[in-house]
C-alpha cells in the first residue's frame, strides 16, 4: 500500500508538472523536465542531503517511468474539468503525507535526530513542487495560498517521528497520509491561511515602552 501511494504521488505530481508546462505552452521537453522535477525532485533532494548512495529515484526504474507517464498524460490530455483537478488535488495531498513520512523515516535510519528528521520529511514532501515553481519563475506555492502544503507536511512529519519513537511506524505512515489529506483539503475548503506579517514599527514599539511609565506617573499623582 505504501508503494502504491508513493508511486501515485509521483504520477500525480508528474501530471501537475505537465499541466504547468501546458499552461506555459512548452514543448514535449518542457513536459518531461517539469514532470521529473515535480514528481522526483523532493526525493532526490532528500537522498542527496543524506548522502547514503544514489537517490532511489535513480536506482528504482519505477519512479522515473511513472513520472514520464505523468508527463505523457498531461501532454495528451487537457485537464479542464473541476472534478479532474479535485481528484489530482486529493491525490497530491495524500502524496504529501506519504513523502513526509518517508523522508522522516529515512532520516531516522541515517542516524539523525528528531529536528533534522522532521525537516527532511518536509523537504521530501514539498521540495519537488518548489523546484518546479522556481524553474518556471513562479513564487513557490508553499509560500502562500490556502492549501497549507508546508503546514500539513510539518504536521505529518512530526506525527511520523512521534509514532516511530513509540515503535509504531506503520501507524505513523497511515496517520501521516490521512493527516496531510485532512489538513490540506480542509484548508482549501474553508479558505484557511497562515497569518501574514505584523505591521509594528519602531515608533509603535517606543509607544508601547512609554505606556507603563506614563501609567505609573498617573497613579502617583492620584
Amino acid at each position: 500500500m505504501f508503494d502504491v501511494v508513493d508511486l501515485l504521488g509521483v504520477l500525480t505530481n508528474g501530471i501537475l508538472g505537465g499541466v504547468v508546462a501546458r499552461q506555459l505552452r512548452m514543448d514535449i521537453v518542457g513536459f518531461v523536465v517539469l514532470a521529473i522535477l515535480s514528481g522526483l525532485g523532493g526525493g532526490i533532494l532528500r537522498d542527496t542531503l543524506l548522502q547514503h548512495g544514489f537517490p532511489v529515484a535513480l536506482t528504482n526504474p519505477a519512479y522515473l517511468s511513472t513520472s514520464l507517464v505523468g508527463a505523457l498524460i498531461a501532454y495528451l490530455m487537457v485537464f479542464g474539468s473541476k472534478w479532474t483537478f479535485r481528484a489530482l488535488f486529493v491525490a497530491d495531498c495524500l502524496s504529501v503525507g506519504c513523502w513526509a513520512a518517508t523522508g522522516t523515516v529515512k532520516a531516522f535510519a541515517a542516524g539523525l535526530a528528531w529536528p533534522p528528521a522532521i525537516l527532511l520529511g518536509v523537504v521530501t514532501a514539498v521540495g519537488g513542487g518548489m523546484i518546479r515553481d522556481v524553474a518556471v519563475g513562479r513564487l513557490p506555492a508553499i509560500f502562500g495560498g490556502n492549501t497549507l502544503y508546508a503546514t500539513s507536511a510539518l504536521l505529518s512529519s512530526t506525527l511520523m517521528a512521534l509514532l516511530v519513537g513509540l515503535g509504531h511506524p506503520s501507524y505513523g505512515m497511515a496517520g501521516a497520509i490521512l493527516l496531510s489529506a485532512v489538513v490540506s483539503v480542509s484548508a482549501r475548503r474553508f479558505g484557511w491561511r497562515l497569518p501574514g506579517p505584523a505591521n509594528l514599527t519602531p515608533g509603535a514599539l517606543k509607544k508601547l515602552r512609554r505606556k507603563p511609565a506614563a501609567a505609573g506617573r498617573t497613579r502617583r499623582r492620584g
Side-chain angles (χ1 to χ4, degrees), residues 7-134:
L7 290 176
L8 176 63
V10 174
L11 177 64
T12 302
N13 280 272
I15 295 174
L16 291 174
V19 169
V20 173
R22 179 178 289 274
Q23 292 172 349
L24 298 177
R25 298 183 179 276
M26 295 182 176
D27 58 15
I28 185 63
V29 175
F31 277 77
V32 170
V33 171
L34 290 187
I36 292 175
L37 290 177
S38 184
L40 305 179
I44 292 177
L45 182 58
R46 173 204 64 214
D47 293 340
T48 301
L49 291 173
L50 287 176
Q51 297 182 359
H52 274 218
F54 293 108
V56 66
L58 302 181
T59 57
N60 188 342
Y63 285 88
L64 182 59
S65 302
T66 303
S67 66
L68 293 178
V69 170
L72 181 61
I73 292 174
Y75 184 75
L76 297 176
M77 298 178 61
V78 178
F79 292 89
S81 170
K82 67 177 182 179
W83 293 107
T84 304
F85 275 109
R86 286 178 180 177
L88 288 175
F89 173 67
V90 172
D92 190 26
C93 294
L94 293 173
S95 67
V96 166
C98 179
W99 289 346
T102 304
T104 305
V105 169
K106 287 200 171 186
F108 278 134
L112 297 180
W114 278 49
I118 293 174
L119 175 62
L120 275 183
V122 176
V123 168
T124 305
V126 303
M130 183 172 63
I131 295 172
R132 177 201 64 214
D133 292 341
V134 171

Side-chain angles (χ1 to χ4, degrees), residues 41 61 99 121 140 147 164 167 191 215:
W99 289 346
T147 52
V164 166

Side-chain angles (χ1 to χ4, degrees), residues 203-215:
L205 293 176
K206 289 181 180 178
K207 290 180 181 179
L208 291 175
R209 288 197 294 268
R210 290 172 183 170
K211 283 182 178 180

Side-chain angles (χ1 to χ4, degrees), residues 129-212:
M130 183 172 63
I131 295 172
R132 177 201 64 214
D133 292 341
V134 171
V136 299
R138 291 182 174 181
L139 180 68
I142 65 168
F143 294 152
N146 60 352
T147 52
L148 300 184
Y149 279 131
T151 303
S152 63
L154 177 61
L155 293 175
S156 298
S157 298
T158 304
L159 177 63
M160 186 66 190
L162 178 62
L163 290 178
V164 166
L166 294 175
H168 302 290
S170 299
Y171 293 144
M173 181 67 67
I177 294 172
L178 181 61
L179 179 61
S180 172
V182 169
V183 171
S184 294
V185 171
S186 299
R188 175 67 67 89
R189 174 65 178 83
F190 299 108
W192 295 344
R193 293 175 181 269
L194 294 178
N199 294 318
L200 293 177
T201 62
L205 293 176
K206 289 181 180 178
K207 290 180 181 179
L208 291 175
R209 288 197 294 268
R210 290 172 183 170
K211 283 182 178 180

